[in-house]
């Protein structure tokens, strides 16, 4: 995939399926709104005004998109290596706890840059450690990563729940005490219009991560080899690539990216780790990666889209039940899933019975 | 026999984006004949057959079957009208039996459930009628390729096909299996079936067909009766210039150098057998081509994989000069002087979704990286150089390898492997699924490597290719080398018994 002359064509090609899916979702949405006796135009307008139409709503979209970008990247990177990472939920939670532990352990006088860097690093390590398990099991024993990551989610989330409630919680709550160091500033500190929204500086860190992943995937040998493994493991092996090692690494880096998402809530928003903060963002990351066609830029766009839907659901709740947006999410996911090459390839292979 | 053609295609056009796959393509096939559709890779044969079988819709032109205009019909309509395609890559379910595969999609049913006994009966009946002998109860996974192909043909017949399209049917068959296939095709023809055979192999065209249509660059350029032409005549029509079949004159006197690749008592486990390679020893010398002949599946794949580092060995040793290859990984072996044209370019040799440029560095990606970052300028320069030197078409290095014809895909692999700094070249099925013009070119490349003092280990299922290129010939049977001899002491007649296991000698 040489990315020069034809990036415009590539983009058009890649964007068709998500755009068609969006169109289908709009039609379904129209029907649902009509079924509620409301005017579709009004409801859509409310949704847009409540999200991109004002700074607070937009800030909330950015906040939600930040976490989704991380989990989306985690899934996308693994898929590029041919692995289906369903474990972003657990990786995200572990990243969040690791960041909180560092924030709690450091003295309050630690300079922000150092504290934030250490806590962010801890988030990467925490998520990476959770990702390493299925990666290693896959390359060492051939254990299927889908099964392992799904099961590991339960284990990790249960362990974290136990750890927080048994060791570290503030009485009457399910969250840790507030971190002493490493809290990231909110966007509102620079732009007062964003007042009240949770958007914070971690979105810049995540933007850097997007750029780095993009560069690594398409400009480095490691990326060349990782994509080769995902497309044709036999050919990659022929080319001297250690396929198992690439699998392990992809899962570690994927887990680390999901873990990075933890800082958005822990360092940027609440300032503590709370049980269940991941709230499905890890699973939604799968949809983000599929809609984003496993491309870092696509992941960002898809994350913004899903964040808009989620925030927009709150805005239209007065006229239409906010569950409508969940239906729309489902429609988009189904429509895209039916058209993405990965899914089609899996279907084709099961037809061929290879 | 009626005078109405079974198939008449006129002035068909088909474009894929900027690529014109068919323009002025025409075909006329009479009922009850075996008709060859020949042409170089990318000549548009497969596109035309896909249009005939309803998989593609033409942009212009007409398709008539049995005098009826069927232009732009669907595959379902084509099957209903008795037009059946036998695919080059088998589409069978390995976990079902032969009978179950044949009836799949049209299963006989009694009281709402699958009637296995009747399926079996019907398949056996059809098998007896057509002369296609298949074990109805065996799992497809356990069949040889020849048997699997017979199942494919039976499947098509079971759906009532009277016009059979066969796409490169002999690509995977051993010589006895090919002979068997010809018998079946003649018998089907004599029973009134019409057969269209897509092939590159001119000896096949001469052996079995009645008439020939030649395509070049998307257009039909010539039609002839097989009886009144020669292989040279067909080749000329295909390529548009004279072609020296059988290669140039052999240079008999050459200095053969020191042993370059030394294999001793090598044993390798296969997927299903414990010893797919069962104690093989040989020396490959610099400046020679050692050809390994044999029916596929006798350990050749495992042998080459073991040498290349893609498969674990059980015992024995492999050395290049005095370097022990077993201590090295795939990349290390490449650096030690090994170059490898793998037998399956779709599986190993290419990343089909990567660009031509990116495929041209596959396996050499370390040489095109600085501090872990791909050196795009160097990769592009390398691509431009290779594309020009090996006449890879189209020349746009950003196109995915998938978009190229088989011959040009193979040229990518060969251009890449020849660019290495190597002393030993493994060439497995180097011309499989490749047209006459490209075969000539690839053979010249292998000879040039030999003449430059490289050691070439050639594995080919085509005995003729082995005989044409090799300085020495070994035959593999049952995981062993059953004979190894100088080229001048070989002929198809001498080697035949070794290939079937009827003869062996200590090697």
């Amino acid at each position: 995939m040489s990315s020069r002359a034809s990036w415009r064509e590539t983009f058009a090609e890649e964007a068709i399926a998500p755009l068609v899916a969006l169109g289908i979702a709009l039609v379904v949405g129209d029907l649902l709104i009509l079924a509620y006796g409301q005017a579709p135009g009004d409801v859509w307008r409310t949704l847009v005004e409540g999200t991109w139409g004002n700074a607070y709503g937009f800030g909330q979209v950015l906040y939600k998109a930040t976490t989704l970008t991380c989990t989306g990247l985690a899934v996308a990177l693994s898929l590029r290596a041919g692995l289906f990472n369903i474990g972003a939920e657990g990786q995200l939670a572990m990243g969040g706890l690791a960041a909180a532990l560092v924030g709690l352990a450091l003295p309050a006088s630690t300079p922000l840059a150092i504290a934030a860097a250490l806590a962010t690093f801890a988030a990467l390590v925490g998520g990476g450690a959770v990702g390493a398990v299925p990666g290693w099991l896959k390359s060492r024993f051939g254990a299927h990563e889908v099964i392992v990551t799904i099961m590991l989610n339960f284990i990790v989330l249960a362990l974290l729940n136990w750890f927080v409630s048994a060791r570290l919680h503030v009485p009457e709550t399910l969250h840790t005490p507030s971190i002493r160091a490493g809290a990231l500033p909110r966007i509102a500190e620079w732009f007062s219009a964003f007042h009240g929204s949770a958007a914070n500086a971690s979105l810049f860190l995540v933007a850097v991560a997007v750029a780095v992943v993009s560069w690594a995937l398409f400009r480095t040998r490691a990326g060349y080899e990782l994509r080769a493994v995902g497309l044709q493991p036999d050919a990659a092996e022929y080319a001297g690539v250690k396929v198992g090692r690439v699998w392990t690494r992809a899962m570690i880096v994927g887990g680390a990216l999901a873990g990075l998402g933890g800082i958005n809530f822990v360092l940027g928003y609440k300032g503590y780790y709370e049980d269940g903060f991941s709230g499905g963002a890890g699973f939604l990351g799968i949809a983000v990666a599929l809609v984003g066609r496993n491309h870092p830029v696509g992941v960002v766009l898809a994350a913004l889209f899903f964040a808009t839907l989620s925030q927009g659901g709150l805005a239209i709740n007065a006229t239409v039940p906010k569950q409508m947006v969940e239906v729309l999410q489902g429609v988009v996911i189904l429509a895209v899933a039916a058209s993405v090459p990965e899914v089609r390839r899996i279907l084709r292979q099961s037809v061929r019975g290879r | 026999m009626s005078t109405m053609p079974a198939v008449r295609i006129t002035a068909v056009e088909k474009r894929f984006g900027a690529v014109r796959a068919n323009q002025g393509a025409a075909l006329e096939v009479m009922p009850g004949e075996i008709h060859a559709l020949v042409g170089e890779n990318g000549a548009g044969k497969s596109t035309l057959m896909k249009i005939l079988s309803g998989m593609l819709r033409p942009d212009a032109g007409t398709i008539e079957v049995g005098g009826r205009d069927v232009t732009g019909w669907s595959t379902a309509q084509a099957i209903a009208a008795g037009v059946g395609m036998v695919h080059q890559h088998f589409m069978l379910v390995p976990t079902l039996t032969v009978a179950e595969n044949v009836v799949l999609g049209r299963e006989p049913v009694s009281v709402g459930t699958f009637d296995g006994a009747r399926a079996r009966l019907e398949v056996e009946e059809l098998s007896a009628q057509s002369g296609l002998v298949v074990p109805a109860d065996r799992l497809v996974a356990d069949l040889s390729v020849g048997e699997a192909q017979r199942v494919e043909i039976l499947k098509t017949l079971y759906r009532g096909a009277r016009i059979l399209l066969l796409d490169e049917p002999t690509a995977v068959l051993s010589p006895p299996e090919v002979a068997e296939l010809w018998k079946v095709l003649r018998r089907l023809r004599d029973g009134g079936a019409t057969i269209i055979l897509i092939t590159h192999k001119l000896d096949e065209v001469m052996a079995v067909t009645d008439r020939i249509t030649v395509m070049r660059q998307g257009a039909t350029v010539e039609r002839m009766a097989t009886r009144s032409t020669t292989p040279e005549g067909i080749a000329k029509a295909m390529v548009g210039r004279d072609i020296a079949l059988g290669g140039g004159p052999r240079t008999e006197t050459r200095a053969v150098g020191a042993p370059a690749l030394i294999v001793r008592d090598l044993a390798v486990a296969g997927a299903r057998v414990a010893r797919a390679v069962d104690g093989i020893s040989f020396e490959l010398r610099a400046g020679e081509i050692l050809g390994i002949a044999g029916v596929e599946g006798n350990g050749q794949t495992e042998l080459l994989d073991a040498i290349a580092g893609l498969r674990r060995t059980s015992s024995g040793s492999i050395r290049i000069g005095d370097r022990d290859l077993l201590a090295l990984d795939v990349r290390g072996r490449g650096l030690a002087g090994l170059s490898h044209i793998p037998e399956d370019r779709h599986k190993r040799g290419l990343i089909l979704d990567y660009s031509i440029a990116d495929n041209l560095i596959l396996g050499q990606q370390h040489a095109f990286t600085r501090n872990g970052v791909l050196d795009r300028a160097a990769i592009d320069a390398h691509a431009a150089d290779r594309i020009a030197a090996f006449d890879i078409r189209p020349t746009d290095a950003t196109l995915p390898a998938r978009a190229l014809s088989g011959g040009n895909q193979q040229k990518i692999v060969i251009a890449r492997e020849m660019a290495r700094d190597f002393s030993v070249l493994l060439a497995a099925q180097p011309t499989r699924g490749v047209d006459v013009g490209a075969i000539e070119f690839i053979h010249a490349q292998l000879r040039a490597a030999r003449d430059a003092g490289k050691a070439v280990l050639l594995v080919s299922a085509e005995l003729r290719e082995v005989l044409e290129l090799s300085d020495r010939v070994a035959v593999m049977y049952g995981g062993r080398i059953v004979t190894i001899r100088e080229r001048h002491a070989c002929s198809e007649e001498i080697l035949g018994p070794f290939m079937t296991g009827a003869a062996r000698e200590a090697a």
Side-chain angles (χ1 to χ4, degrees):
Chain A
M1 239 179 268
S2 202
S3 53
R4 282 151 304 140
S6 58
W7 71 268
R8 233 175 258 273
E9 289 164 39
T10 318
F11 180 78
E13 239 168 67
E14 296 286 322
I16 284 175
L19 289 179
V20 169
L22 187 61
I24 295 172
L26 279 175
V27 173
V28 173
D30 284 345
L31 296 176
L32 285 175
I33 294 167
L34 288 171
Y36 265 90
Q38 302 289 336
D42 293 344
V43 173
W44 295 130
R45 196 173 308 118
T46 315
L47 190 148
V48 172
E49 277 167 6
T51 51
W52 294 69
N54 65 77
Y56 167 77
F58 185 57
Q60 288 300 92
V61 168
L62 286 181
Y63 168 74
K64 292 181 174 177
T66 302
T67 310
L68 288 179
T69 298
C70 288
T71 56
L73 277 184
V75 179
L77 189 84
S78 316
L79 269 177
R80 286 275 183 181
L83 300 177
F84 209 168
N85 176 11
I86 319 277
E89 190 78 13
Q91 294 151 8
L92 170 63
M94 184 61 98
L97 181 72
L101 289 179
V102 169
L104 282 166
L106 290 173
S109 57
T110 318
L112 175 61
I114 293 173
L118 286 175
T120 302
F121 183 69
L124 291 166
V125 171
V130 176
V133 176
W136 182 74
L137 288 175
K138 166 96 180 179
S139 57
R140 181 73 183 77
F141 302 108
H144 202 292
E145 78 282 358
V146 169
I147 312 287
V148 177
T149 50
I150 290 178
M151 296 306 170
L152 204 58
N153 277 333
F154 293 106
I155 297 172
V156 168
L157 294 174
L159 273 177
L160 294 183
N161 174 282
W162 164 80
F163 180 75
V164 171
S165 55
R167 304 273 160 171
L168 210 59
H169 70 121
V170 173
E172 307 298 314
T173 71
L174 266 176
H175 62 73
T176 64
S178 287
I179 55 174
R180 281 191 281 271
L184 292 168
R186 299 227 184 152
I187 302 295
E189 289 186 20
W190 300 302
F191 305 101
S192 55
F194 283 89
H195 185 73
S197 88
N200 60 77
S202 56
L203 84 88
F204 301 116
L205 293 175
V206 172
V208 171
V210 170
V212 170
V213 169
S214 216
W215 174 79
L217 209 45
F218 298 108
R219 303 270 170 212
T220 68
R221 185 176 67 231
Y224 175 92
E225 294 183 343
L226 180 141
R227 287 181 292 126
V229 167
L231 290 167
Q232 280 169 244
D234 286 321
E237 189 193 17
Y238 159 81
V241 179
K242 303 265 188 343
V243 174
R245 223 180 271 179
V246 170
W247 278 338
T248 310
R249 276 191 214 145
M251 285 304 287
I252 292 174
V253 176
L257 286 166
L260 177 66
I263 67 169
N264 192 34
F265 177 90
V266 172
L267 302 184
Y269 179 34
K270 290 289 191 185
Y272 52 70
Y273 172 88
E274 184 167 18
D275 192 54
F277 86 88
S278 51
F283 294 116
L284 198 51
I286 298 167
V288 170
L290 286 179
V291 174
R293 310 303 302 271
N294 298 329
H295 194 290
V297 176
V299 163
V300 172
L301 295 177
L304 283 170
F305 170 73
F306 281 108
T308 304
L309 271 191
S310 159
Q311 183 63 22
L314 302 176
I316 61 172
N317 204 14
T319 42
V320 186
K322 69 170 188 239
Q323 280 76 12
M324 189 192 89
V325 300
E326 281 162 30
V327 175
L328 295 190
Q329 266 183 18
V331 171
V332 171
I333 293 169
L334 277 180
V336 172
S339 66
V340 288
E342 289 75 28
V343 176
R344 261 184 289 152
R345 192 161 63 207
I346 291 164
L347 288 177
R348 218 173 29 232
Q349 277 169 4
S350 51
V351 169
R352 257 194 234 134
R354 285 206 311 166
Chain B
M1 204 178 279
S2 75
T3 49
M4 174 90 72
V7 174
R8 177 151 62 193
I9 298 175
T10 34
V12 157
E13 270 186 54
K14 180 73 190 173
R15 289 164 158 280
F16 298 102
V19 182
R20 209 178 261 139
N22 277 163
Q23 192 187 30
L27 179 68
E28 197 174 291
V29 181
M30 301 307 286
E33 73 173 5
I34 301 180
H35 194 104
L37 184 59
V38 298
E40 288 203 285
N41 278 314
K45 309 177 299 267
S46 292
T47 304
L48 193 61
M49 286 303 99
K50 281 181 184 158
I51 288 173
L52 175 57
S53 63
M55 290 160 77
L56 291 175
R57 201 175 263 276
D59 297 332
T62 56
I63 321 290
E64 287 167 53
V65 169
R68 189 161 64 92
D69 185 348
V70 297
T71 310
W73 65 357
S74 67
T75 41
Q77 285 170 314
I79 291 168
V83 176
M85 180 106 175
V86 178
H87 291 275
Q88 192 176 0
H89 302 286
F90 303 143
M91 305 201 172
L92 299 172
V93 186
T95 52
L96 295 183
T97 67
V98 167
E100 285 163 346
N101 263 288
V102 170
V103 302
L104 194 63
R106 291 199 167 193
E107 305 87 354
V109 167
S110 69
V111 239
T113 55
F114 174 58
D115 188 346
R118 210 171 99 216
R120 193 164 162 254
L121 214 69
E122 285 180 11
V123 169
E124 276 171 353
E125 202 171 293
L126 190 63
S127 168
Q129 259 175 36
S130 61
L132 287 154
V133 185
V134 291
D137 288 327
R138 209 125 52 91
L139 290 183
V140 162
D142 298 333
L143 299 184
S144 71
V145 267
E147 289 171 319
Q149 185 175 55
R150 269 174 261 160
V151 176
E152 273 288 350
I153 299 177
L154 262 190
K155 214 170 93 180
T156 316
L157 293 177
Y158 186 80
R159 279 156 184 67
R162 300 296 293 155
I163 299 173
L164 280 172
L165 319 180
L166 288 98
D167 191 357
E168 309 266 354
T170 62
V172 291
L173 301 185
S174 68
E177 285 172 327
V178 171
E180 190 59 34
L181 178 66
W182 294 161
K183 249 189 257 167
V184 167
L185 292 189
R186 289 199 191 97
R187 182 158 168 178
L188 289 172
R189 171 193 60 190
D190 297 343
T194 306
I195 292 159
I196 302 176
L197 189 66
I198 306 177
T199 179
H200 297 118
K201 299 181 189 165
L202 301 184
D203 53 332
E204 294 180 356
V205 174
M206 298 310 293
V208 76
T209 66
D210 303 308
R211 287 203 305 152
I212 303 164
T213 296
V214 182
M215 290 184 73
R216 190 166 75 226
Q217 287 166 13
T220 296
V221 291
E222 217 163 316
R223 301 164 213 239
M224 36 196 154
T226 311
R227 208 174 300 129
S228 55
T229 187
T230 59
E232 284 76 14
I234 307 170
K236 190 176 172 186
M238 281 165 68
V239 185
R241 62 186 159 87
D242 281 314
I243 283 248
L245 291 179
R250 293 181 54 81
T251 43
E252 286 295 347
T253 48
R254 272 171 313 93
V256 171
L261 178 75
I262 302 132
V263 174
R264 284 268 163 272
D265 304 319
L266 187 70
V268 183
R272 256 179 261 145
V273 275
R275 288 171 78 87
V277 173
D278 190 12
I280 280 188
S281 301
F282 64 88
E283 281 183 358
L284 173 65
R285 292 190 286 265
E288 76 163 347
I289 298 179
L290 172 60
I292 296 188
V295 177
E296 267 187 86
N298 276 291
Q300 300 95 320
T301 303
E302 288 82 359
L303 172 66
L304 285 205
D305 280 357
I307 297 173
L310 297 165
R311 191 180 284 267
R312 225 178 263 278
T313 56
S314 315
S315 61
S317 71
I318 306 170
R319 287 185 294 133
I320 282 188
D322 49 11
R323 298 198 66 178
D324 176 14
L325 285 195
L326 293 182
L328 301 171
D329 60 8
V330 175
R331 184 174 166 234
R333 293 179 198 211
L335 296 174
L338 191 67
S339 188
H340 179 195
I341 299 165
E343 66 175 1
D344 188 340
R345 58 177 170 268
H346 289 142
K347 186 177 156 214
R348 283 210 197 271
L350 295 168
I351 308 266
L352 292 169
D353 289 322
Y354 271 13
S355 67
I356 297 175
D358 283 354
N359 268 297
L360 281 166
I361 65 162
L362 190 68
Q364 297 159 50
Q365 61 271 25
H366 285 264
F368 290 89
T369 343
R370 261 185 293 174
N371 303 322
V373 182
L374 294 173
D375 185 347
R376 274 260 81 108
I379 293 171
D380 291 344
H382 177 67
D385 167 64
R386 294 282 96 188
I387 287 170
F390 282 78
D391 190 27
I392 295 166
R393 289 182 220 181
T395 55
D396 178 358
T398 64
L399 287 176
R402 187 183 292 287
L404 272 61
S405 67
N408 281 298
Q409 288 178 342
Q410 189 70 358
K411 280 184 183 177
I412 298 179
V413 175
I414 290 170
R416 180 184 70 210
E417 294 310 307
M418 293 293 182
R420 281 178 181 274
D421 180 15
F422 67 98
S423 57
V424 174
L425 173 66
L426 309 178
Q429 319 293 354
T431 59
R432 169 169 291 171
V434 157
D435 60 78
V436 189
I439 288 175
E440 185 191 28
F441 180 82
I442 291 167
H443 283 179
Q445 290 295 326
L446 295 178
R447 285 199 189 93
R450 187 250 332 257
D451 294 343
K454 315 288 190 187
V456 180
L457 184 63
L458 167 74
V459 171
S460 175
E462 306 225 16
L463 185 52
R464 189 160 299 184
E465 179 167 76
V466 171
L467 290 175
E468 200 183 306
L469 289 174
S470 309
D471 303 302
R472 284 192 301 150
V473 176
V475 176
M476 273 186 83
Y477 179 79
R480 292 166 188 254
I481 290 184
V482 290
T483 182
I484 185 162
R485 46 178 72 211
E486 294 293 319
R487 166 64 185 90
H488 61 77
C490 295
S491 69
E492 292 196 29
E493 291 70 32
I494 292 172
L495 296 181
F498 289 103
M499 292 172 70
T500 56
R504 65 166 54 209
E505 59 191 29

